[in-house]
Amino acid sequence: MLRREFVKGVGAGVILPNFVHGFDLKLDTAPETALAAVGNTDHILVVIQLEGGNDGLNTLLPVDENYNKLVQLRPNIIGQTSGQQKNGYLQLKNRNDVRLHPALTGVKNLYDNGLVQFINGVSVGGHSSSHPTATRLILNASTKDLTGNYGWLGELLEAKFPDYTDFSKFPSNLPDFPASIEFGNYSSLLLQSSSGPMNVLLNDATHFCKLYWQTQVDAQGNCTYTGTNSCDINEAIPNHPDATIAQNKIQYLRSFGKVTEKYACVLRKAYDNAKKNSVGSEKFLEAICGYAYNENDAKNQLDIQLKTIAYWINGGLPTQVYQVRQDGYDTHGGQASNQHYLLQNLNFGIGKFMEALAPEKRDKVICIVVTEFARTIKENGSYGTDHGTANMMFAFGYNVNGGVLGSNPTIPDPSEFLNPRNFDNANNIVPQYDFRSVYQTLLKNWFCVDQSTIRNILGGKKEDDRGNVLEDWDTLPIIKQSPCCTQLPDPVISGNQQVCPDGSYAYSTQAVSGAQYVWDVDGGVILSGQGTANVQVKWNKGVQGKLNVKVTK
C-alpha cells in the first residue's frame, strides 16, 4: 500500500500520534516530483537545527565601524555576554572586524584551523516571523510548493530510494541501511519526502542504547533483534465491523514501527566496528545507557547524539544524512545567560564530534548549523530580542573552506529607531544569501546531484510563469574539495616547434574523458580538430607563432 493511497482513505492533514519506537507520521497530500538519478557519492551531511531562532548577531559580533551603534542598541545583551564588551568576545585568526561569542571556544579553534565558514545574511524568500512557517520555509526550501509537507533532503532521499515508503513490499522496500537518521521526539519536515518519512527516528541516544541491548550477536557474528515491542505487520485486527477496511491501513502504520527494528543490528554492527578506530566508544556506550555516566564523556543530549553519529560514521554505516536538534533559542527575555548556556552546549557537542571522527573519515563529513530566523537588531525591554530576518549560519568540517562569507551586517544609526514608521525596517538585517544557494551548493558539489534534479527539489532563482527555471540558485564557495569535480592535469602540448612556412602540423594534448578543448593560435590557422585533444595547424610566413589550449570539464 502506497502512502498516497493511505492518505485518500483517511483524509489529508491527519496527524497521527507517536507510536512504536517514537515514529511520528504526518500525513498530507503533496505534488508528485519526478527526479533524475542522484549522484553516487559516499559523502555525509550532518544538519544541526537550532530551534527558536538563534541570535547570529551576538554569535558572530561585528566589531568594525558598526560596533559603536550596536552597543547603543544592545547595551545589556553585549554587556551581560561579556563584562569586557567586545574585548571579552573571542578573536578569530586574521579577522579584525568580527569576534565570536565567548562560549564558542572550540568553534574558534576549528575556525583558526580553517575548518569553519560563517555565512552572513542568510534568509529565504517569503520570510515569516512565525516559528512554524519560518521553519517550514528553511526545511522545505522549494519554490514549487513552500507549503508542502516535505523537505529538500527528504526529496533527495526519495529520489535515491524510491521504494522506501512503499510498505506493500516490506521489508524488501528498504535498503540495507537507514536512508537517514534523526534524533528527536518528532519527525522533522527536513527528512520527509512527498511519500512519507525517509528517516529512522530515535527519540534520544538512550533509545539507541535500548536497541543495542535488544540485539544478540552469536559466535559467528550473526546479529538478531530480540525485542518484542511491536506487532507483526500482518497480525489480524480483532473482530470489528470495519476490520477489513482498516486492515491495510493498520498494516501500513505497523510497517513504520518495524523500520527501527530492521536496522537495530545494522546500527549495532556499525557501533561495534567503530571500536577499532574510535577512542573510548565502549565507555561512551555505558555512559549513554546510564550505567557509568561521566560528564567528560557525555555532557548533554546534543553532545551524546553527535558523538553517537560520529561512531556510526567511523564504523562504516553508509547512511549519508543525519539530523539533530537543539531547542531553546527563542530568547525574548534574558538572552545573554540563556544563549550562553545553549551555545556552550553546542560548542561542546561540535568539539566532541570533530574529535571523535576517525582520521580516515574526516574528509567525508560536512556539518551545517541552521535556525529558522534571526533576532532583531535592537534589544527589547526584557533584555532579549524578537524575531528577525536574515541571519548568520555556519558550516564546519575538514572539507569546508574556512573564513567568513559575505560582509558584516550594516547597523542603522540609533536615531532611525525613534520613528515608528522606520522601526521595523531598521530593526532587521538585510539579506545577502538565500538558504537555497547553500543547499544548491551541497546538492551539486557535495552529493554530486545533477542540475535537473536540483531544480525539481529547489526550483530556481528565477522562473517563468509556468515554473520553468530561468536561472539556478548561486553556488557558493563552501566546499574545499568537491568529490564531484575532476582535477584536470596541466595541459602539455606535443608537436613540432620548428616549422616551415605554409606547412601543416599536428599538435595534441592529453585526452581527458568528457573534457572540452579550446585551442587558440596566433600566427596561423587551425585547419581541423577544434574542440578535441588533437588539432592540425597551418602556420603563416614570417611570423613567430603561438599555440595555446584551454581544457575544461
Side-chain angles (χ1 to χ4, degrees):
M1 181 183 187
L2 296 177
R3 173 182 181 273
R4 292 184 182 83
E5 295 171 351
F6 180 84
V7 172
K8 287 180 183 177
V10 300
V14 176
I15 300 177
L16 299 171
N18 288 346
F19 54 101
V20 166
H21 291 321
F23 275 83
D24 179 75
L25 178 62
K26 189 169 186 177
L27 301 174
D28 189 19
T29 55
E32 296 281 354
T33 307
L35 298 178
V38 178
N40 185 20
T41 173
D42 60 352
H43 282 61
I44 293 165
L45 177 66
V46 180
V47 179
I48 304 174
Q49 182 183 346
L50 310 183
E51 295 182 309
N54 177 47
D55 183 11
L57 198 55
N58 198 47
T59 305
L60 189 68
L61 180 73
V63 292
D64 53 6
E65 66 275 8
N66 291 288
Y67 176 72
N68 288 334
K69 291 181 284 186
L70 199 57
V71 170
Q72 295 179 61
L73 294 167
R74 294 179 155 212
N76 294 289
I77 290 175
I78 293 176
Q80 291 175 18
T81 298
S82 168
Q84 303 175 60
Q85 294 195 331
K86 70 176 181 180
N87 292 328
Y89 288 71
L90 306 173
Q91 178 133 18
L92 298 175
K93 185 178 180 180
N94 299 326
R95 298 291 304 205
N96 295 319
D97 58 337
V98 290
R99 292 203 171 198
L100 194 61
H101 192 283
L104 296 174
T105 52
V107 175
K108 169 198 157 43
N109 291 335
L110 293 174
Y111 179 91
D112 289 349
N113 283 286
L115 305 180
V116 177
Q117 182 180 103
F118 297 106
I119 308 170
N120 275 321
V122 182
S123 187
V124 65
H127 166 79
S128 172
S129 293
S130 157
H131 287 289
T133 305
T135 300
R136 180 180 297 278
L137 290 175
I138 68 162
L139 299 183
N140 174 289
S142 171
T143 58
K144 306 295 184 184
D145 182 16
L146 278 172
T147 63
N149 278 337
Y150 51 88
W152 66 279
L153 282 174
E155 291 293 272
L156 171 70
L157 293 169
E158 185 180 38
K160 192 165 187 176
F161 306 107
D163 292 333
Y164 196 87
T165 59
D166 184 1
F167 283 99
S168 64
K169 303 175 182 177
F170 183 86
S172 62
N173 62 308
L174 298 174
D176 293 334
F177 55 88
S180 65
I181 298 176
E182 175 181 8
F183 282 105
N185 55 9
Y186 65 91
S187 189
S188 168
L189 184 71
L190 179 67
L191 302 177
Q192 297 272 338
S193 74
S194 54
S195 295
M198 297 297 299
N199 60 338
V200 164
L201 179 66
L202 300 173
N203 301 126
D204 52 33
T206 306
H207 189 169
F208 166 59
C209 170
K210 292 176 181 177
L211 285 176
Y212 187 96
W213 295 116
Q214 286 178 330
T215 57
Q216 290 183 352
V217 179
D218 62 23
Q220 288 72 42
N222 300 311
C223 180
T224 304
Y225 178 74
T226 59
T228 56
N229 291 335
S230 62
C231 300
D232 182 81
I233 289 176
N234 297 310
E235 183 177 327
I237 299 174
N239 292 332
H240 188 276
D242 297 324
T244 303
I245 299 173
Q247 179 70 52
N248 59 350
K249 296 177 174 60
I250 295 297
Q251 182 183 54
Y252 177 82
L253 293 177
R254 287 172 177 168
S255 299
F256 280 96
K258 288 290 186 182
V259 173
T260 306
E261 296 173 8
K262 172 182 170 61
Y263 292 127
C265 281
V266 176
L267 297 178
R268 173 171 181 157
K269 286 181 178 180
Y271 190 90
D272 288 344
N273 287 340
K275 294 174 185 177
K276 303 170 186 176
N277 59 4
S278 304
V279 177
S281 59
E282 183 120 18
K283 187 177 179 182
F284 178 74
L285 183 65
E286 293 177 352
I288 65 173
C289 291
Y291 302 135
Y293 181 84
N294 183 319
E295 74 174 70
N296 293 320
D297 296 322
K299 195 162 189 174
N300 58 75
Q301 266 299 319
L302 184 65
D303 157 48
I304 295 170
Q305 293 166 12
L306 286 171
K307 209 167 182 181
T308 304
I309 291 170
Y311 289 144
W312 283 331
I313 293 171
N314 292 351
L317 185 67
T319 299
Q320 293 179 263
V321 177
Y322 298 88
Q323 183 185 14
V324 297
R325 297 190 292 267
Q326 184 191 25
D327 196 6
Y329 285 91
D330 195 19
T331 51
H332 289 284
Q335 176 176 306
S337 59
N338 291 333
Q339 189 189 31
H340 189 281
Y341 171 78
L342 292 166
L343 292 181
Q344 193 173 48
N345 286 341
L346 176 66
N347 177 75
F348 191 86
I350 289 174
K352 288 297 181 181
F353 174 80
M354 294 292 281
E355 183 182 293
L357 278 178
E360 66 270 19
K361 299 293 183 180
R362 289 173 179 171
D363 287 341
K364 303 285 188 181
V365 183
I366 281 181
C367 307
I368 58 172
V369 181
V370 301
T371 192
E372 64 260 42
F373 44 55
R375 315 299 299 184
T376 49
I377 294 175
K378 189 178 186 332
E379 66 180 37
N380 58 32
S382 301
Y383 300 161
T385 49
D386 301 315
H387 301 174
T389 52
N391 205 356
M392 182 276 296
M393 69 174 291
F394 65 97
F396 63 93
Y398 286 86
N399 228 327
V400 166
N401 272 324
V404 179
L405 186 61
S407 58
N408 281 350
T410 300
I411 305 302
D413 189 273
S415 61
E416 294 189 33
F417 291 83
L418 300 176
N419 186 342
R421 294 182 179 180
N422 295 338
F423 189 89
D424 286 341
N425 285 335
N427 212 15
N428 284 295
I429 294 169
V430 176
Q432 299 181 54
Y433 301 102
D434 195 289
F435 272 103
R436 288 163 287 199
S437 290
V438 178
Y439 303 158
Q440 153 89 16
T441 302
L442 293 168
L443 290 171
K444 182 177 182 179
N445 290 349
W446 192 241
F447 287 132
C448 306
V449 180
D450 62 275
Q451 194 60 48
S452 63
T453 301
I454 297 174
R455 289 171 182 169
N456 282 331
I457 295 173
L458 300 178
K461 188 175 182 180
K462 291 183 180 178
E463 300 176 354
D464 63 19
D465 294 339
R466 296 183 177 181
N468 298 311
V469 175
L470 304 176
E471 181 181 348
D472 292 315
W473 295 104
D474 298 326
T475 301
L476 305 178
I478 297 171
I479 298 168
K480 187 181 299 180
Q481 186 172 354
S482 170
C484 317
C485 302
T486 303
Q487 185 68 37
L488 297 175
D490 292 332
V492 176
I493 299 175
S494 301
N496 290 56
Q497 289 185 294
Q498 293 184 340
V499 298
C500 299
D502 294 325
S504 174
Y505 298 89
Y507 297 90
S508 65
T509 189
Q510 180 179 344
V512 177
S513 177
Q516 297 176 338
Y517 301 84
V518 178
W519 294 85
D520 180 55
V521 64
D522 183 14
V525 61
I526 296 174
L527 299 176
S528 63
Q530 180 66 277
T532 71
N534 304 279
V535 291
Q536 198 75 19
V537 177
K538 180 180 179 181
W539 296 103
N540 299 334
K541 294 179 180 179
V543 299
Q544 184 176 4
K546 293 182 180 179
L547 180 65
N548 296 298
V549 63
K550 182 180 180 181
V551 185
T552 58
K553 185 175 182 179

